[in-house]
Amino acid sequence: MIEIRAVSHQIAGTPILHDITTRLPEGRLTALIGPNGAGKSTLLRLVGRLEPLQAGRISVAGHDIATTPTDRLAQVMAVLGQQTLIASRLRLAELVAFGRWPHHKGRPTAADRAHVAEAIRTFALGPLADRFMDELSGGQAQRAHIAMAFAQDTEWLLLDEPLNNLDMSHARALMARLRALVDQQGRGVAVVLHEVNYAAAWADHIIALKDGRILAEGAPDAVLTEDLLSRLYDAPISVGRHQGRPLVLHHA
Amino acid sequence: MIPAAPPRPSRPVWVLAGLCCLLAVISALWMWQGLGGGNRGFVLGLRANKLAALALVGVAVGVSTIMFQTIAANRVLTPSIMGFDALYVLLQTALVASLGIAGFAGLPAAAKFLSEIALMVLLASLLFGTLMLQGARDIPRMILTGVILGVLFRSLAGFMGRVMDPAQYAVVQAASFASFNRVNATLLPVAALVTVLAVLAAWRMSARLDVLALGRDAAVSLGLRHRAVVIAALSLVALLVSVSTAVVGPVAFFGLIVAGLAHGLTRSASHAVLLPAAGLIGATILIGGQWLFERQLGQAATLSVVVEFAGGLFFLYLLLKGRIR
């Protein structure tokens, strides 16, 4: 479980998050949704200690992120930010192999290599394994980074807009993969999503943020209602149903 | 099952071995070419001193540039952009201005050198430590601050030089222009010790530097103590730059050639390969260049001029080839 208590954050004097208190249930797929500038990414980055915590407390699986050594946290959660530009000239397989660093600190074992191979296979990157990262398309590079986070093999996986750059089939494959991580291995996954329907189709738990506050949280059926989504995005939104799950439509 | 990550290619090993051989050949050439009769012992001693100094500076510049480029995530920057060497020149100018020529010359060389290094490292870690406290997107801001401080240091040194006695200024100039001919031999043992320790420390950091090169977000996610590693690496850079500056004076572009060649030759992203390669290349170029100028071109130029000229050309080449990111 990720516990967020009374977290506030500001960037250059502008308040981004106001007194956020919530929980992300363990062994579930949680989606953070909301309009641009709502603070979704900031919240995820705070949990992943990519930004320094200004006020409040956050604990991940019982580890307070302010007091737990960062290398210990790296064995509990993997975070993937949006910025994925790399300065060094790496091959894809070398990048994915870095995912095992928290476990071997520079001396990979056979088990580490097996994890890396599994990650490459899981994200169907085998044919690209020897390519240099700067020779890949945006979507391929994105999948490589997700594979690296996956290879980290942590209880929690935090992804900031992982569907960026991905086409429909790869986006679907990624969500299905995350779903499988949750269902088969009992891991916790938190994703920031722009496209609400991916949350509708795959998430167990949704946290809707607006202007740095939590507008609603709960199961998809409870959160993805016409009234709530229209308030969240300040636009008329209708919600239909498809295969027993909400289907969000914006062309009113 | 797909085979695990491909075994590390042997190319870097061959490159490193080749560079070692090349350095050995160049060094032997330097030591024994055209020795002639006469006082062999004296000449050999002289040459050995110079060889050590050149190797030292080459290694220091190569290793520090690679580390700095990794921290800055940029292949066109060298530590001199942060004003490290300008700070050194300012220190020299201030010392001459306050102590006078006799006082400056009378300072115990080793103690002066060590305290200068300590001061530079202290200033570097203070400056970068405070700047890095602020959070995420701070490396560009840190470099920009370094650039501005470098200009400030240079102007201050220039100003002090203008108001000081011309004879004193001549001493400052001697201390602050790169010269491979007047190697400061008294500093060699201390400088060698400091360089060896710093390079060993850098080598021990190489796995962490690899992770650092992935960018801040990825490095933090992988559990790297990002701020501590950056500050430690920058302190080592400050240390190595002060060593090379103290022994021969500031060399700006040379590091660019060395780092560019190290990346190009090894085609590796692993610092365990890049750092030794850069050190070997730096030493080889300096020794080979100095041999060429001293023995073949009859001192018709100075090595520093040519090294910087070639550095400028290489810079342009990289820029035009789009190899710079």
Side-chain angles (χ1 to χ4, degrees):
Chain A
M1 184 164 65
I2 293 179
E3 271 200 279
I4 300 170
R5 266 169 292 163
V7 166
S8 296
H9 194 78
Q10 33 181 282
I11 297 176
T14 311
I16 305 294
L17 294 172
H18 305 270
D19 195 21
I20 301 277
T21 297
T22 186
R23 288 173 173 194
L24 278 65
E26 61 198 5
R28 291 280 182 276
L29 203 166
T30 302
L32 293 163
I33 64 167
N36 291 336
K40 321 178 284 291
S41 290
T42 306
L43 186 59
L44 191 90
R45 291 175 66 82
L46 283 172
V47 174
R49 47 113 170 66
L50 298 180
E51 305 286 344
L53 198 56
Q54 292 171 353
R57 303 189 70 159
I58 296 176
S59 70
V60 178
H63 303 273
D64 189 319
I65 64 160
T67 55
T68 311
T70 185
D71 52 348
R72 178 77 191 90
L73 284 175
Q75 295 170 358
V76 179
M77 63 173 163
V79 202
L80 182 62
Q82 282 184 51
Q83 160 245 336
T84 49
L85 199 69
I86 296 180
S88 51
R89 198 166 155 77
L90 283 179
R91 291 175 197 278
L92 187 147
E94 291 170 331
L95 176 79
V96 177
F98 273 110
R100 298 303 300 166
W101 201 76
H103 303 276
H104 64 61
K105 296 283 167 60
R107 289 188 186 78
T109 63
D112 290 317
R113 275 186 279 272
H115 268 106
V116 172
E118 189 202 336
I120 288 176
R121 194 181 51 237
T122 302
F123 290 91
L125 293 166
L128 305 173
D130 280 333
R131 294 266 289 276
F132 282 106
M133 287 303 293
D134 52 6
E135 294 165 0
L136 299 178
S137 78
Q140 292 168 334
Q142 177 78 1
R143 274 154 60 209
H145 279 93
I146 296 168
M148 174 173 78
F150 175 80
Q152 212 170 320
D153 193 24
T154 48
E155 198 176 329
W156 276 94
L157 191 58
L158 314 179
L159 306 169
D160 191 0
E161 301 200 16
L163 303 183
N164 277 359
N165 295 323
L166 294 190
D167 62 38
M168 215 188 284
S169 82
H170 282 117
R172 184 186 184 285
L174 172 62
M175 292 310 291
R177 184 63 234 169
L178 295 178
R179 188 71 251 169
L181 275 184
V182 171
D183 292 340
Q184 291 161 19
Q185 303 183 20
R187 297 207 228 172
V189 175
V191 277
V192 171
L193 292 176
H194 255 301
E195 173 54 65
V196 182
N197 276 319
Y198 284 103
W202 304 97
D204 299 307
H205 187 78
I206 293 179
I207 298 177
L209 284 164
K210 187 181 185 187
D211 297 333
R213 293 190 171 81
I214 293 180
L215 192 71
E217 54 187 317
D221 280 322
V223 176
L224 302 178
T225 62
E226 290 187 353
D227 168 53
L228 222 147
L229 285 174
S230 302
R231 273 196 289 141
L232 183 63
Y233 289 99
D234 287 324
I237 285 170
S238 53
V239 177
R241 291 201 72 82
H242 180 67
Q243 297 184 341
R245 283 192 158 254
L247 178 67
V248 181
L249 302 162
H250 53 80
H251 24 74
Chain B
M1 190 168 157
I2 297 177
R8 217 160 259 285
S10 60
R11 177 188 170 91
V13 178
W14 287 113
V15 170
L16 284 182
L19 287 173
C20 281
C21 291
L22 194 63
L23 180 59
V25 169
I26 296 270
S27 304
L29 200 64
W30 169 268
M31 287 300 286
W32 285 288
Q33 182 264 334
L35 201 52
N39 193 343
R40 283 173 158 247
F42 175 75
V43 176
L44 277 179
L46 213 60
R47 287 185 174 184
N49 254 345
K50 219 164 177 177
L51 179 78
L54 288 165
L56 213 66
V57 172
V59 169
V61 170
V63 170
S64 61
T65 308
I66 291 276
M67 287 177 83
F68 185 74
Q69 291 186 346
T70 294
I71 299 164
N74 190 312
R75 292 272 180 84
V76 296
L77 296 180
T78 65
S80 65
I81 201 167
M82 302 285 286
F84 282 125
D85 49 358
L87 178 60
Y88 181 81
V89 171
L90 178 62
L91 274 176
Q92 303 305 311
T93 317
L95 277 177
V96 175
S98 55
L99 299 177
I101 299 176
F104 181 74
L107 288 173
K112 167 174 173 285
F113 176 64
L114 284 179
S115 44
E116 277 165 359
I117 288 183
L119 190 63
M120 296 227 350
V121 173
L122 186 73
L123 282 176
S125 13
L126 264 182
L127 169 66
F128 307 132
T130 23
L131 282 171
M132 293 284 296
L133 261 177
Q134 325 265 340
R137 291 158 284 272
D138 273 356
I139 301 264
R141 179 160 57 169
M142 189 180 74
I143 289 168
L144 194 59
T145 315
V147 171
I148 293 167
L149 285 177
V151 173
L152 175 71
F153 296 153
R154 261 178 270 271
S155 324
L156 274 179
F159 172 71
M160 288 170 103
R162 230 159 274 215
V163 297
M164 83 184 6
D165 178 68
Q168 287 189 339
Y169 186 60
V171 177
V172 171
Q173 274 203 312
S176 54
F177 279 92
S179 165
F180 294 93
N181 287 325
R182 295 186 312 272
V183 163
N184 199 339
T186 48
L187 291 182
L188 270 184
V190 190
L193 184 69
V194 173
T195 308
V196 167
L197 290 179
V199 168
L200 279 181
W203 165 266
R204 277 183 57 100
M205 281 182 76
S206 52
R208 275 168 285 163
L209 289 171
D210 291 346
V211 177
L212 190 68
L214 297 178
R216 183 179 177 279
D217 280 6
V220 171
S221 172
L222 293 174
L224 188 77
R225 290 168 57 225
H226 185 264
R227 185 166 156 258
V229 170
V230 168
I231 291 176
L234 277 173
S235 303
L236 285 179
V237 170
L239 200 67
L240 289 167
V241 170
S242 11
V243 170
S244 71
T245 318
V247 175
V248 298
V251 262
F253 269 126
F254 175 54
L256 206 59
I257 318 179
V258 177
L261 281 175
H263 280 290
L265 283 177
T266 61
R267 288 193 216 145
S268 167
S270 158
H271 285 79
V273 174
L274 281 172
L275 292 176
L280 290 169
I281 292 171
T284 308
I285 291 183
L286 277 191
I287 297 168
Q290 184 72 9
W291 175 78
L292 209 65
F293 282 99
E294 214 176 291
R295 315 269 174 83
Q296 306 303 313
L297 301 178
Q299 308 263 27
T302 61
L303 178 60
S304 55
V305 168
V306 175
V307 160
E308 308 249 309
F309 176 68
L313 282 181
F314 186 67
F315 186 91
L316 280 178
Y317 164 78
L318 283 179
L319 210 63
L320 294 174
K321 281 269 285 190
R323 292 272 296 276
I324 292 174
R325 289 185 299 145

